[in-house]
Amino acid sequence: MPDEVAGDRPRIRPALLAVILVLVVLCPLGYSIVRGVFTPGPEPGQVFLERPDPKHEACVRETEYMRYHHWELLRSVREEVVRYGVRGEVGLSRCRDCHTSRERFCNQCHDAVSLTPDCFDCHYYP
Amino acid sequence: MTVDAAENTSQDTRAPAGEGAAPVQSRNGKPILIEPDLDFIDALRKQGRESFEKCFQCGTCSATCALSPDRDPFPRKEMIWAGWGMKDRLLTDPDIWLCYQCHDCTTRCPRGARPGDVLAAIRQECVTQFSFPRFLGRWVNQPQYLPLMLAIPAVLLGLALALKGPLETALGMAPEAGERIVYSYSSVFPHWLLNIFFFTFSILVLLVAISGVVRFWRAMKSSAPQDQIERPARGLLASILTALKSIITHDDFAQCTKSRPRMWSHLSVFFGFAALTLVTLWVITAKHNPLVQDTFIYPFGFWNPWKLLANVGGIAVLGGCLLMIGDRVKEGDQPGANSYSDWTLIGTLMLVVLTGFFTEVLHYVRLEPHRHLAYFVHLMFVFTLLIYLPYSKFAHLIYRTTAIVFAEYIGRTARTQPTSAAETRSPQQEVESHAG
């Protein structure tokens, strides 16, 4: 009978798969533990984002706005410059007056969220 | 109608009942008074499981079942109990939870009595019986209450969001925006609000689950044979470990032959859901986790191992659910006809995962108000899954685990069954003893 043939299949297969799956599910935990244990913590005074150069008192918009919407602002500036030839106060060249390092400022967040903006394919940022 | 059924005539301590009738005593030493619970029979009928009435107690089902123990095998005795409306016996019977509804019995039943489906219906009644309050168990499993059942989580979640402002000032919560939270959802759904909201309801669900487990355990204990309770087959801890091992490796489930694909789809959903749960726990405890306290950035980047696990887990749940649906559609009304409670669990799981992926996609394409709306719907379905956990089919997580632990404890599973010839009874003896 076909049923009996099916019943004679080796029973180990689901159990073995289950063990492998348990290990897969625990992978990130292992990764985080190893990373957490072997990565030295931040040195005193080390910050996640580079603090802006104090020579300018404020950004063009509030910090909250900039944190979540700077890309919208930059895009609208791009539209104004490229399509309408209006060159206002805000521009990418002014950003780096304060935020001097792309590595220590922009990339910190962009890398964390796997974001690769194409701005810098053309534009140079020190 | 009163029927005394003799199950164990070897140790006679009671005075003969009635006029010269054989002395009767049940397994647990108490006389059996059969009072058919007509409401219970009706409840089974309502689930479309009136097929137990066709059973003529041939015992093919018990003989064909790979998981049924030698002593008092299931599902034959459950079939006659269902017919007699012996609600108390059925709902305190761990055996109904040892069945994985693989339909090896249903396929071979000469009367089309569908023992596998009847056990599924009894399990749902068991959930309703032990999860407080009972009316929620009824509502969750009846289609006419579906709009209400969906409206409750939507209204509660909406209310929590509407009260965000006043709560923020009352609790002194600062609007959340750390430099480590990048393009987050927290501007609309602050983490403190979601944590308080979900934590409160998780505690409620946990309390219902614990009280259900305790009452179910006591009930099983009171109806199990006394000698097995006094001399358990193994310790409680050992029972729990064995049960967990058998659940994780699906080794009982793998004994099915007729509906073996059910095991694979369950395995997929099981591990996918475990992965998603683990990621969720990791995220909500990150603030207090010494391993990541200083480096935690949320939402995760796409290549973060945790994000990868969550995505793979989501795909596993979705794939498993699709397999289940395919299986059910293919089978049609053949062995394994499915009830409303089956479909609601699969549906809710699918909606949780689909809305989750939809939100993720909207997040990646940076659609600003839209992703928040999608996230609201996603949270609503997550909440639906959570608050109805002790009442829906999802409650098998609680009750099946408890029953398997109990079965291990008293040596009831096929694994732990003592193969003593003295205790083995032929089906013929069984029938005679039931017939009284």
Side-chain angles (χ1 to χ4, degrees), chain A residues 1 3-4 6-7 9-11 13-15 17-18 21-22 24-26 28-29 31-33 36-37 42 48-49 51 64 67-69 71 109 112-115, chain B residues 108 176-184 186 248-250 254-255 257 260 263-264 267 271 274-275 278 282 291 294 297 299-303 305-306 309 366 368:
Chain A
M1 265 164 71
D3 279 7
E4 254 102 69
R9 273 190 224 169
R11 299 258 185 257
R13 272 171 52 208
L17 184 67
L21 289 175
V22 168
V24 168
V25 169
L26 292 178
L29 191 63
Y31 164 84
S32 291
I33 290 173
V37 170
F48 179 63
L49 290 179
R51 292 288 176 258
E64 276 312 296
R67 183 165 287 149
Y68 299 121
H69 303 286
W71 53 280
C109 289
V113 294
S114 309
L115 188 70
Chain B
R108 294 202 171 97
E176 254 181 76
E179 61 188 16
R180 288 176 193 283
I181 299 174
V182 184
Y183 193 62
S184 73
S186 56
I248 290 171
T249 57
H250 283 61
Q255 312 258 338
T257 51
R260 198 173 163 83
M263 191 268 295
W264 295 114
L267 195 82
F271 278 99
L278 190 69
W282 182 262
L291 285 173
D294 301 316
I297 293 161
F300 292 126
F302 187 79
W303 295 109
W306 288 100
L309 179 66
R366 297 333 196 223
E368 187 50 23

Side-chain angles (χ1 to χ4, degrees), chain B residues 159-430:
Chain B
L159 207 64
L161 285 178
L163 291 173
K164 187 174 76 168
L167 276 175
E168 203 170 73
T169 36
L171 297 171
M173 294 287 183
E176 254 181 76
E179 61 188 16
R180 288 176 193 283
I181 299 174
V182 184
Y183 193 62
S184 73
Y185 292 91
S186 56
S187 46
V188 177
F189 307 96
H191 292 150
W192 62 264
L193 184 74
L194 292 184
N195 285 352
I196 293 174
F197 185 74
F198 276 90
F199 188 73
T200 310
F201 283 97
S202 302
I203 293 290
L204 286 177
V205 165
L206 195 66
L207 288 177
V208 174
I210 290 172
S211 89
V213 166
V214 170
R215 289 196 296 156
F216 183 42
W217 185 273
R218 280 192 192 143
M220 284 190 296
K221 221 172 158 176
S222 71
S223 79
Q226 281 307 301
D227 58 319
Q228 290 178 15
I229 294 295
E230 281 154 18
R231 283 176 280 107
R234 55 181 82 187
L236 191 58
L237 188 67
S239 310
I240 293 172
L241 290 177
T242 317
L244 288 182
K245 186 182 151 258
S246 121
I247 291 168
I248 290 171
T249 57
H250 283 61
D251 60 354
D252 285 341
F253 217 145
Q255 312 258 338
C256 294
T257 51
K258 169 73 183 102
S259 302
R260 198 173 163 83
R262 291 175 78 107
M263 191 268 295
W264 295 114
S265 49
H266 188 271
L267 195 82
S268 182
V269 172
F270 180 89
F271 278 99
F273 198 79
L276 292 172
T277 311
L278 190 69
V279 177
T280 308
L281 289 176
W282 182 262
V283 170
I284 60 177
T285 57
K287 233 186 217 173
H288 315 285
N289 188 339
L291 285 173
V292 290
Q293 233 164 20
D294 301 316
T295 51
F296 195 73
I297 293 161
Y298 195 78
F300 292 126
F302 187 79
W303 295 109
N304 185 301
W306 288 100
K307 190 73 186 177
L308 285 177
L309 179 66
N311 278 328
V312 171
I315 290 168
V317 173
L318 195 61
C321 285
L322 288 174
L323 274 178
M324 286 174 183
I325 292 175
D327 204 31
R328 282 153 166 70
V329 169
K330 203 171 66 190
E331 282 175 353
D333 201 34
Q334 289 311 300
N338 293 281
S339 60
Y340 173 74
S341 55
D342 288 311
W343 286 109
T344 40
L345 179 58
I346 299 179
T348 318
L349 275 173
M350 291 262 298
L351 284 167
V352 165
V353 176
L354 285 175
T355 53
F357 278 133
F358 189 53
T359 311
E360 191 181 346
V361 168
L362 290 183
H363 178 78
Y364 287 144
V365 300
R366 297 333 196 223
L367 271 176
E368 187 50 23
H370 312 73
R371 68 187 181 115
H372 289 292
L373 188 64
Y375 190 44
F376 179 85
V377 178
H378 174 62
L379 285 175
M380 199 192 91
F381 283 117
V382 173
F383 189 56
T384 307
L385 195 65
L386 174 79
I387 51 169
Y388 300 139
L389 189 153
Y391 313 101
S392 66
K393 199 191 176 186
F394 209 4
H396 75 278
L397 186 105
I398 304 166
Y399 293 100
R400 190 183 288 276
T401 309
T402 312
I404 295 175
V405 171
F406 186 78
E408 294 287 348
Y409 182 67
I410 64 168
R412 184 82 191 116
T413 54
R415 273 189 300 283
T416 52
Q417 185 67 26
T419 45
S420 149
E423 286 182 315
T424 314
R425 293 153 62 172
S426 71
Q428 189 54 40
Q429 283 171 309
E430 274 285 306

